[in-house]
Amino acid sequence: MDMFADAIRIDFGSSASVEERLRNLREEGLAERQQPLLEEDSGNRSPTDKEKIAYVKKLCLAQLAYGQCTVDAEESSIDAALVLGIDHPLIDIGPKSTFVNFNGDMDHLESARDIMLSKLKDVAYLIEHTVKHGGDFTKLDIDTACTLLDEIEKEPLPYGWLLQDLFYIGLSTFGAIAAFFGSYADMLIVFVISLFNLCLKRVVKRYPTVLLPLDSFLVSLLTGMLTCGAFKISSWHDDLCSIPIVFLSPLIVYLPGSDLVYGSYEIFHNNIIVGASRMTSSLVKCMILAMGLTCGWYIVGYGFMEDKGDYEGANASFVPTGKCAPFTKPMNVGPWWVVFSGWNLVLLFPALGGLQVKARDFFWIYATAYASLLAFGALNFAIPSDNALSEFIVNLLGMFVATNLVCLREYIQGEISSLEQHFFLIKSFFLRRPSFTRLNPYSSNSGSWVQRPDRCTKSDAKFCWGF
């Protein structure tokens, strides 16, 4: 029974602010778990430089572990160090490691990097509290803040493992329509493929030492095999332009959207090495996905295209990459407002859940992302092609809507919330804007990585510039 309860666990989040949690820890006499506080006179003394430096290091590593980009992590950590009274702090966050120099004491730090927005939000508020009140911190305050960081680290994810699996299946399945404008038949095939991919992910998790480095390749390999097999046996669904919709939908979570946007953002803020590293990493990830899809397709679909058109020899065994134009096929779901006002409404639930956003934080983030998607849908599809706006203008208008909604939230609630976190969410959803920002691993267009409607890199740079 406990196992089932853990599988479907939902953490709605606490209404207590960071200040209240710090106050409670202090009042309970817990500067460190299960250990009493030091004597009152010792706790009220000023912290030493060593204690301040250890706290700043924990703040920096916590941000990286939960999904903050390097530019903002460096800036906020240095701000906290200066407020605490550390002279001339130097923090240099690289693609994999972090180098710090406080008062001539150099250190090399490493931490795992993931995206857990529920924890990133708590850490962001703790940093804001430190920047605001850090000049008056005592040793007791430093110890209590470190204890809170330890609590945040030990907190379980807001959703149980079964819900996490459902989020993955839901994001892939609904993405066939909401992110790629496919049909109900496409969605059914993607649902079946997602189930097999989920089983494969369980096997990879069971043997991480051997299989985890091959995760992306194995998932794309299985996706290529199942996609080709599905179109071979389905006599009722033979639109070749639907094939990219089917093999891309289960790979949504593997497409390097956040790397592309963070890379653009960091290059824009002159962190060239890390930004270029993210961009290169995105290229390599796409190459791995393309290799897996190609190998999987070759295994099942050798010569698949020989009777499908003017293909012969090796060309008859390549993966078809021509994607259906949005809302042009009779079987595809449409018109545009049905997808953007209906299916995107459903898609955002597994998307937010997969990003580890707690249920109590859904409303404003959901409203911001949903309104932005509606704006993009209207600007791209409601305007006749003769009077259509340029892509650059559409990006700027959509970003204008999203950022002003975030500012409206702060104005109404009177919070100084972490704008970077909401900015990340907005960028994440913009990368799923179906009409022109989905990355296709097979594109070979040298002018832009992907031909419309799948253009990505240039749009991402415009997002950051527009913001």
Side-chain angles (χ1 to χ4, degrees):
M1 191 65 183
D2 292 340
M3 182 178 179
F4 179 74
D6 182 66
I8 62 172
R9 183 189 69 255
I10 300 178
D11 181 4
F12 287 91
S14 172
S15 60
S17 65
V18 166
E19 289 82 358
E20 292 171 340
R21 295 176 67 179
L22 289 170
R23 190 182 309 118
N24 291 337
L25 283 173
R26 186 184 181 104
E27 291 175 354
E28 291 170 4
L30 292 174
E32 294 181 1
R33 272 198 177 281
Q34 307 302 327
Q35 295 182 11
L37 290 176
L38 301 175
E39 296 296 330
E40 190 66 24
D41 57 345
S42 177
N44 284 332
R45 69 170 172 81
S46 298
T48 64
D49 285 348
K50 185 176 181 180
E51 292 163 344
K52 295 176 184 177
I53 290 171
Y55 173 54
V56 173
K57 288 179 181 178
K58 292 191 72 169
L59 281 178
C60 182
L61 294 179
Q63 293 180 82
L64 296 176
Y66 305 140
Q68 187 65 287
C69 68
T70 59
V71 172
D72 294 329
E74 282 183 6
E75 182 179 353
S76 57
S77 299
I78 290 175
D79 288 344
L82 291 173
V83 171
L84 289 170
I86 301 174
D87 296 329
H88 309 296
L90 174 62
I91 300 176
D92 183 14
I93 302 177
K96 295 186 64 176
S97 304
T98 301
F99 295 90
V100 297
N101 187 342
F102 298 106
N103 300 328
D105 182 16
M106 298 184 64
D107 198 2
H108 171 255
L109 310 175
E110 291 187 1
S111 69
R113 302 190 185 186
D114 205 340
I115 298 175
M116 291 178 276
L117 294 186
S118 58
K119 296 188 177 187
L120 178 60
K121 177 184 176 182
D122 292 337
V123 173
Y125 279 123
L126 179 58
I127 291 174
E128 290 174 1
H129 175 77
T130 302
V131 171
K132 186 175 181 181
H133 304 289
D136 300 324
F137 270 18
T138 64
K139 180 185 184 302
L140 182 59
D141 294 322
I142 293 288
D143 290 342
T144 306
C146 288
T147 301
L148 180 57
L149 281 174
D150 292 337
E151 283 195 351
I152 293 172
E153 180 184 1
K154 294 175 183 178
E155 287 177 354
L157 294 177
Y159 305 102
W161 62 266
L162 180 59
L163 293 180
Q164 297 289 346
D165 291 346
L166 292 176
F167 290 150
Y168 168 73
I169 294 174
L171 185 61
S172 301
T173 304
F174 298 137
I177 293 178
F180 297 107
F181 306 132
S183 63
Y184 292 114
D186 299 330
M187 188 169 70
L188 176 60
I189 298 174
V190 171
F191 173 74
V192 175
I193 295 175
S194 299
L195 292 178
F196 281 93
N197 283 348
L198 186 60
C199 295
L200 177 60
K201 287 165 68 70
R202 287 294 173 187
V203 175
V204 170
K205 188 175 181 180
R206 179 67 177 82
Y207 303 100
T209 304
V210 178
L211 298 180
L212 189 58
L214 300 173
D215 184 29
S216 298
F217 178 81
L218 293 176
V219 171
S220 58
L221 177 74
L222 182 60
T223 299
M225 294 172 60
L226 295 176
T227 300
C228 185
F231 278 85
K232 269 193 168 184
I233 65 176
S234 60
S235 58
W236 42 271
H237 189 32
D238 57 357
D239 277 334
L240 296 182
C241 64
S242 295
I243 292 177
I245 295 174
V246 173
F247 70 63
L248 284 175
S249 296
L251 301 178
I252 281 183
V253 297
Y254 290 91
L255 296 176
S258 59
D259 279 343
L260 284 170
V261 175
Y262 272 3
S264 301
Y265 185 71
E266 286 157 348
I267 289 174
F268 178 72
H269 285 277
N270 296 321
N271 199 342
I272 306 298
I273 294 177
V274 177
S277 173
R278 288 188 186 272
M279 292 291 193
T280 306
S281 173
S282 300
L283 280 172
V284 174
K285 289 176 181 178
C286 289
M287 289 169 57
I288 293 173
L289 293 175
M291 288 169 57
L293 284 169
T294 302
C295 293
W297 189 273
Y298 263 59
I299 292 172
V300 178
Y302 184 81
F304 176 80
M305 299 291 290
E306 286 182 350
D307 58 344
K308 305 293 183 180
D310 189 17
Y311 300 97
E312 58 183 15
N315 291 333
S317 301
F318 287 149
V319 182
T321 58
K323 182 174 173 291
C324 299
F327 313 118
T328 56
K329 296 291 183 178
M331 63 185 307
N332 289 354
V333 178
W336 73 267
W337 56 266
V338 172
V339 173
F340 279 90
S341 63
W343 285 100
N344 272 307
L345 188 71
V346 179
L347 180 70
L348 292 182
F349 281 104
L352 287 173
L355 290 170
Q356 310 303 332
V357 177
K358 291 183 177 179
R360 69 176 298 111
D361 299 326
F362 261 41
F363 176 75
W364 276 101
I365 300 174
Y366 191 97
T368 301
Y370 187 56
S372 304
L373 286 170
L374 281 177
F376 275 110
L379 291 170
N380 277 284
F381 298 107
I383 303 175
S385 58
D386 294 340
N387 301 319
L389 299 173
S390 70
E391 182 188 353
F392 184 77
I393 298 299
V394 171
N395 290 337
L396 290 180
L397 291 176
M399 204 63 185
F400 178 82
V401 171
T403 51
N404 277 275
L405 285 172
V406 173
C407 293
L408 176 64
R409 178 258 175 106
E410 294 186 340
Y411 176 78
I412 293 175
Q413 295 189 346
E415 295 182 354
I416 308 177
S417 61
S418 175
L419 189 60
E420 289 87 354
Q421 177 196 357
H422 295 89
F423 183 31
F424 170 78
L425 281 167
I426 295 167
K427 292 181 293 186
S428 299
F429 289 121
F430 282 176
L431 281 179
R432 284 194 298 277
R433 281 185 301 120
S435 58
F436 49 85
T437 58
R438 175 52 60 198
L439 188 63
N440 185 337
Y442 282 103
S443 173
S444 59
N445 181 4
S446 59
S448 61
W449 282 9
V450 211
Q451 297 181 4
R452 188 179 180 91
D454 300 312
R455 188 156 53 234
C456 192
T457 306
K458 292 183 178 179
S459 299
D460 297 333
K462 293 172 187 176
F463 294 159
C464 301
W465 183 269
F467 183 75

